[in-house]
Amino acid sequence: MEHAALLTDGDAMARPLLQRLAGDGNTRWGVDECRVVRSRRHAAHPAPGDRSAWLDVCYRLALQDRDRGTRHALWLYAKAYSQGRSADAFRAALPAACVIPGLGEPVMQMPELDLVVWPLPNDPVMEQLPALLDPVAVRPHLPPAAMGPKGSGIGEISVVRYEPEDHCLARIATPDAATEAAIYGKSYAGEGWRDARDCMHSLWCTGCVDPHAFVVGRPLGSCPALHTVWQAEVRGEPIATRLAGPHAEASLDAVAAALAALHAGPPIAREGSPVAATVALARTWCSALGAADARFAAGSGCTAVSSGARSGAAPSRGDGTRRLSCGPDAVVERPHRAVRLRQFHNRFARTRRRRLRRRPAVP
């Protein structure tokens, strides 16, 4: 199996990861599932002397403790190197990774795969995660709404979403609080939490006055020490889950109305990028994808689509539809519902840009 294919195959990686975590003679731990949550491949042609990783992979392991009859989730962040460079990367990562996880070591090397692996709460960039994911350490940083009347302890902390070196979303159960059953903390690398705080406040205010707006959890403050914003729990079904289910068609109008309310409102980010810069960046990404793998070139909208015709496949239009014939009586398939949603989003984005151009500058 190709190296990249092996590293991005959760079933194939379950055994070597567990062996490195629990040792060769392991009889206590079993893996129910190993899922690749995220993977990112770097430049296909690195510069001479570049010793950085060529592939980042985030795994989520569903572990079974046979001795205690319990199940646990373990998140792993792996960086893949070439030509044995993982040894140097491992030595460089040792001083910063100091929290012993429930299984394994703070940072591990797998030389047979040229990998360096960090089990949560260790992360090579977000040094605040050990405090965020520890019930004792995070308690002094929680907002008052998360604490009970007597300031009693908190419940289980579970990781909902993890983007290595970028952000981590954790659900913190508050069984003794009078107002909140759980709160969410979203922690960022660097100062990204400030924009998240402002965006969350703007979305919450819009939702309070517009019944068509997106429903978001009530903001509960922020913690600069942990680079984290706090948010109340919302009961309901996430949009992504809804659009992937059987009721997606009936939900498109509601989602479109919510997008319209979002784009008609004020800017929610403290700093925005010019449209030209955003387009240029998108073209750069498309070119990089096409250079890394020709399969991405035809659908990216940044290269000619004639390659699909040469191969005998129906050429892609770049907007998610498929041209079935190229003659004067050409027929086009109905766009997928996700494509229609994206078209709604683009139309409202253009409307918002026009309104912003008419808006007078704030002194």
Side-chain angles (χ1 to χ4, degrees):
M1 182 182 292
E2 183 192 356
H3 198 191
L6 170 65
L7 297 178
T8 53
D9 185 335
D11 294 335
M13 287 298 297
R15 183 173 180 178
L17 287 173
L18 181 62
Q19 184 176 6
R20 182 62 185 87
L21 288 165
D24 295 333
N26 167 60
T27 58
R28 174 180 175 182
W29 296 95
V31 179
D32 292 335
E33 180 190 29
C34 178
R35 180 163 56 94
V36 175
V37 179
R38 175 182 176 275
S39 62
R40 180 178 61 185
R41 189 163 186 166
H42 298 282
H45 305 288
D50 186 3
R51 307 181 68 84
S52 60
W54 62 273
L55 178 69
D56 301 341
V57 188
C58 179
Y59 304 97
R60 185 185 184 277
L61 272 66
L63 298 174
Q64 179 185 163
D65 187 341
R66 299 189 183 100
D67 292 351
R68 299 182 179 180
T70 57
R71 285 177 166 78
H72 308 270
L74 179 63
W75 296 73
L76 302 175
Y77 177 40
K79 282 178 169 285
Y81 295 83
S82 58
Q83 301 178 2
R85 295 191 180 104
S86 62
D88 293 337
F90 172 67
R91 285 191 290 268
L94 276 174
C98 56
V99 178
I100 299 176
L103 186 64
E105 303 163 12
V107 60
M108 305 174 294
Q109 183 193 12
M110 299 178 65
E112 68 279 7
L113 296 174
D114 220 355
L115 281 182
V116 178
V117 182
W118 289 262
L120 269 184
N122 297 284
D123 181 278
V125 173
M126 294 186 287
E127 299 178 354
Q128 72 275 17
L129 291 189
L132 174 70
L133 302 178
D134 182 83
V136 176
V138 76
R139 189 172 176 272
H141 303 283
L142 294 176
M147 307 306 296
K150 298 182 180 179
S152 52
I154 61 176
E156 179 186 6
I157 299 179
S158 56
V159 176
V160 178
R161 186 179 301 113
Y162 174 47
E163 294 281 346
E165 301 187 43
D166 188 79
H167 68 268
C168 180
L169 176 64
R171 182 183 186 273
I172 304 174
T174 55
D176 297 327
T179 57
E180 304 291 344
I183 68 167
Y184 287 80
K186 194 168 188 178
S187 187
Y188 291 82
E191 297 299 313
W193 66 272
R194 299 184 186 275
D195 274 340
R197 176 198 59 193
D198 298 342
C199 292
M200 190 183 301
H201 177 76
S202 178
L203 291 173
W204 165 255
C205 293
T206 302
C208 289
V209 298
D210 191 338
H212 299 292
F214 289 113
V215 177
V216 298
R218 179 167 58 92
L220 298 176
S222 58
C223 175
L226 298 182
H227 294 193
T228 299
V229 292
W230 308 112
Q231 190 175 19
E233 187 173 40
V234 175
R235 301 290 183 179
E237 186 178 17
I239 294 175
T241 305
R242 183 79 173 183
L243 292 180
H247 304 293
E249 196 78 21
S251 306
L252 283 177
D253 289 341
V255 174
L259 284 171
L262 173 65
H263 290 293
I268 60 176
R270 296 189 303 142
E271 297 182 2
S273 300
V275 176
T278 302
V279 173
L281 181 60
R283 286 175 175 166
T284 302
W285 288 345
C286 288
S287 300
L289 282 172
D293 193 326
R295 292 175 299 174
F296 296 118
S300 66
C302 298
T303 58
V305 298
S306 58
S307 59
R310 287 195 302 267
S311 64
S316 171
R317 296 180 55 192
D319 60 356
T321 60
R322 183 70 65 176
R323 186 174 293 133
L324 299 183
S325 65
C326 299
D329 299 323
V331 179
V332 178
E333 286 183 338
R334 184 183 182 187
H336 189 271
R337 56 176 176 260
V339 175
R340 298 205 304 277
L341 177 60
R342 187 175 63 197
Q343 291 169 349
F344 275 125
H345 184 280
N346 293 339
R347 184 166 69 251
F348 293 129
R350 288 193 295 270
T351 303
R352 182 189 175 206
R353 286 196 296 269
R354 287 196 295 268
R355 291 180 178 177
L356 288 177
R357 282 195 291 269
R358 299 193 200 105
R359 188 176 299 172
V362 178

